[in-house]
Amino acid sequence: MTGRPLYVGIDLGTTNSAVAVFDGETTQVIRNAQGSTLTPSVVRIDGKGRVTVGAAARRFLERDPENTRSEFKRLMGTERALPFAASGRSLRPPELAAAVLGALRADVLDQVGLLPDAAVISVPALFELPQSAATSEAAKLAGFGKVELLPEPIASALAAGWTAEQGDGRWLVYDLGGGTFDVSLLETDGGFLRVVGHDGDNFLGGRDFDWAIVDWALAEIAREHGVTIRRDDPTHGAAIAQLKHAAEDAKVGLSRAGQVVLTLAAPLEIPGAAPFDPELALDRAVLEGLISPLVDRSLDVCRRLLQEHGTSADQLARIVFVGGPTVTPMLRERVGHTLGAAVAEGLDPMTLVAQGAAIHAASTALDGRPAGPLVRRGARLWLQFPAVCTDLSPHVIGRVVDAGQGPMPSNVRLVRGDGGFTSEVATLDDDRAFVAAVELVARHANVFEIVAEDAAGVRVAVDPPSVTIVQGMTIGDPPLSRSIGVALVSDHVQVYFERGTPLPARRSFTHATVESVARGAAEAVLKIPIVQGEHDRAHLCRLVGTLEIPGHAIGKTLPAGSDIELTIELDRGGRMSAKALVPALDQMFEHVAHLLVPAADPEVLAASLAALRQRVDDLRAEAFRRGMPHIIGALEHAEHDLGDVSRDLGAATGGNDDAGQRARRTLLEIDAALDEVEQSKQWPELEQRVVRTLTWAGGQVGHLGTERERALFEDVAKAIDRARAERNVRELQRQLRLANQLGETAWYRDPDTWPALFDEASSRVDAASDLPRAQALVREGKAARARDDGAELRRITEKLWRLLPHDPTARRASYDSGVR
Amino acid sequence: MSALGIEGLVAQLVAFTAALAFAWLLGVANREESRPGFFGLAQWLVLGLVGLLSGAMLLRGELLGAPVLAMTGVLAWPWAFARGWLIPRGHWRAAWWLVRSSSWTWHDDNKGGALVAAAWAALRAGGPSRALAFVEARCERSDCGAAHLLATGLVDDAAARRWIGSLCEFEGVAAPRMARRLAVQWCAAEAATRGAWSEVARFAGDPDADATVAMLAVVARRMLGAAPCPDDAELERAWKHTPDRADWRPLVERARAHRPAEPTATPAVPREAEPDVHRAALLLHARLLAHARPTAAEVAATARAWDRALADARFTDGVRRRAAAVGARTDALAILRARVEADLVEVVRTTGVALGEDPDRVHDTLGRVRSALHQALLDELELVADGLLTRVRARRALPLHEEWREYLALRGAFTSAVEHTGPNLQRLGYAIVNPAICALGVWLWNDRKNRVHANQMFRWLLREAEIAGDAEAVALHRRNVDCGR
Amino acid sequence: MSAVDRWGDNPFFVLDLPVTATRAEVERAGQKWLGMLEVGMSRAAIYTTPLGVRARTPELVRAAMAELRDPERRIGHELWHLEHEPPSTLDAEDDADAEGPEPEPAALRILGWSRP
Ligand SMILES: Nc1ncnc2c1ncn2[C@@H]1O[C@H](COP(=O)(O)OP(=O)(O)O)[C@@H](O)[C@H]1O
Ligand SMILES: [Mg+2]
């Protein structure tokens, strides 16, 4: 390899993509054939099967939507393939993304003269494993040999930090894209960058600005031309698309000019009205009025994030804007003003992410140059040093792997190119290795010559002869965006990797099986579900893979309680692998059924919507009955969200996958909120139960209990008091059960009890599994009662109970987990 | 041949009476239901007759009588022959065939007996894989009898102690006596190889203990020096009655030479002369984690050291100042406290220290550890019980010995949980395990006809219900246990 | 994760740093250990803790660096730092008498219950 290194960073955006290269000192954003730094993430396949990408394809988005696809990034990780009607092909999201990445790769070749083999690709901060894996797959399909993924906010921060003067403090990266909003809180401390937290809204973006303008235009048209155009009327679809396009142009135009006119490519055609051309003038003031509710929504998210991390406005050093819509002057001003922090100027919001990704490629030494022929010059060294480094005095570690023909070096020192520094002489140890501390000049590429001498003090040639270390901001290893763990049978999650864990990572835990799996049993299978998310309840997290141990694959019966040593591994590209070692079987299981993001099936969603509605209704009824006003508010909130879901569901049924995904996520959120509500009312309920149980059971035991039972009851009552003092829910429930049991035992002794129980059981006799037998028992029971034979009546009632259905066991929510 | 007629008749009569007397004797000796079946009786009658006839032939000088007599002998005492000749030589297949006809020794369960013979012979043959597979396959398929547990244990090195040990605990002998006798012998010998003499001593009172076990128990008591410590004469007496006593002589000699050590006082936890309360707590904590068998006193000392540290204003203020300096907002002390408690709970659980109950001390570290332990044990018990119950309700059957293993596992979890804490857990835990084991027992009894194992489960549930004072459960399981009679 | 691992993996032990180490010192030490492990220097392979000697791996080093970057977590680890003491030897000696006096290893064999 010769010349300067080539570090490539790619921002694979929902709307636009960009690529930048970094040579160790400066970044350069690559222009495409059209001379633009932005390549729209749009792919078109025409009737002849020709694939076009970028601006050329984008032009067809309105005209030929059947053969032109955009926004496929939102479908990454799903199994949905998008059809191209004319060519008859249909491509999965990674294949579409690969087309865009391929085009960017070709642009680098055009501009730099090298076809890169490695790159860093940025992904949204909250991408989950299946989505990351799909992105890695896209890169492979586009011909990249090595890729690494980097969260977008970190990329932005790196790029911003690279150019900015050193200044410690917290800062906010505000990334508003075409359809998503991400905000991240970062912190620099002595030049070291750290991600403090993320938040965002997956359904807020420039697109919503466009729709706000369209709605305004529709109102204006109705007012001026008396023509009513409706967004939900399919016959108005073409006109709406035209308006939307014009709205976007107007919005972009207003970022530069104070006033623009909404210009349409052709006059609007509405069924039942003459074609007309509404010349609508839009100025900044109107636009501000239209988008300010949307900006406020984003500000709420920012405030939530700041509050969560205890950062007050005056602690915030600056704000970095990323994404097309943040070019809007009013938005910058308003966000900056509201959050009370300086706005970092001089950064290109559209390409910042790509630049940061390129810088990151340098710090992980992901050189994009294709491997060249190897030239040997002297003793070969295996060197370890940071290519980019924040620390001003890092270490260079090396080992002689092959002395070649020449003499063996015995000591080494490093001399900085500017002559201002020479390291101490490091002697090679028994491993023929050395460690040398060097000192860097800040914000420069530092070249160090490696001076090696043999035992006699004669200089020895080494290969490589020098190392280059760039001083600047780095982030180290890419952090994991969401926690990953294993769902346990108790619906808890055993966290393997917490959010922020540096990748790659590997961890092992030992679990125990809860049920025996018989050898060869076809239907018996032990499942180990792997989930991702921040909830401590497994069913609220996303299932990202399942490791299965099927009965047919095991050598002998696997008894309940057997150990399973599970190891999960994540690589830097977000790919997960897992293996389970079962010592009892002396077998290893590695096959993980990787899951895609489940397609949002409207029917399934409708069912869970109905179920949640029911739950809200039940809770509210209960809240009113028991006078618990504090939960009514939460329920109203949930109710409101359910309304949103049902609207999205309508859109999803009409084929809008994105709305379906949003509905799915909102449903999960509501589920979590209701869980919380239930938990908050659990304690008062329990307290009431304590009083009831103690009175009733205490009465029974005192009246009919034996000496022993009375003593036991006293103990239980004490334990109940203690659990109450500790506010320990589970313990309290257990002790209450015990108290009840004691009460019942005593109560059964009461001669009046069994007739009542018998009556209750015989009233349910229709549900019995064996009706004739049950009826016979009822007859016998009646006879026994007539005889006043208490013991017999009890025997009969108990028999009757056995024939009646018992409560179905609670459903297992935790993805059928078979481990604890 | 005419003389044979009268002789034969006489012989038949003698054999018949002898057999009846024998059967009666056995029936008395063998408690409850397990006794030689009708087949055994018939077998003896026929063999007795043939034996007399062939004896008569031999007396009259007919040489044919000799092999017939020998054959009859083998067939009449198949177990003795298998045990004395076939098993030591590892003839597992022959042992299996022969013991199949051993209704006299193995009662209804001669199949199980045959398996025990085959497993034992296989063991002596060095465990050829064909033999092991043969036994394992039959053990898995079979659905009766306690002898299978013995056979399973003999071919399953890793779990032998669990299988055979559980057989020793069989109550009321719902199993052939031979199975139990062998199991007790095995368990006593196995405990002796580990040097677990207190376990050995406990077998002394077992109704099925044979002379060897009795001798081992005497040795054990001598080794332990437990009162009443047997004197040399008693040792010698026990040894005299032992079969193969020459082989045991070295052990007895050692026992005679053994002087039980004075019980050493448990070393007191050293007082750390450490002015820094935090460091003192860390040192004790490190000691505790490094210790394979800490005592309850050491756990308590560590907990107290942490209490002292966390109550020390100099330390806590220092931590708060430091947290502010590095920019941490969470309550570092609360996290420290939680981790200390989690560590202590883990130590107690993995090493089996018994903390006991102390209702008055609940607010210090030790009290919270106790309460967390209590929760954790119950949670685990619930999970295990729930797993079993789910499977039983779904009727997903396992091979019998695996069902038995599940029962043992749940029972073991319960027992160790009770040992860890105390009577309150006994009652709570019983309410958890009872439904699961009861359901398993009922299923085994009603649908799968495994009376032996189901009965054992009910017996155990009954015993524990009595301890827990659960009158309902006591009444229920009394009835369940009585079903077997 | 067991209590021993929780403590043994303490970042200050893994990186061999005092609790007063600055952010830069943490990064520097991490980078050094990673480099040394990568080229296979034997003196990087182990580290000592109050609970004994443990193996240092690149994963542990990376995780340790990440732990110390986060102030909330860092303070927690600081509280578990303890100047090394040679791990106590007392466990070894009291394991020996665990099973009581003098076992009889031949017992099963004499009764014919063992493999030949
Ligand atoms: N100058 C501009 N002023 C306002 N909005 C703009 C401007 N340029 C682009 N946009 C809007 O930015 C959005 C695309 O932003 P981008 O950051 O490329 O999105 P993504 O990150 O989703 O790929 C589009 O909605 C587009 O209309
Ligand atoms: Mg973007």
Side-chain angles (χ1 to χ4, degrees), chain C residues 61-76:
Chain C
V61 174
R62 264 196 299 269
M65 289 163 77
E67 288 291 295
L68 294 189
R69 277 177 207 138
D70 184 344
E72 316 284 354
R73 295 174 160 281
R74 176 178 169 136
I75 181 78

Side-chain angles (χ1 to χ4, degrees), chain A residues 11 13-14 16 73 152 175-178 322-323 353:
Chain A
D11 171 12
T14 313
N16 297 304
K73 181 173 168 185
E152 282 164 11
D175 181 351
L176 190 58
V322 181
V353 172

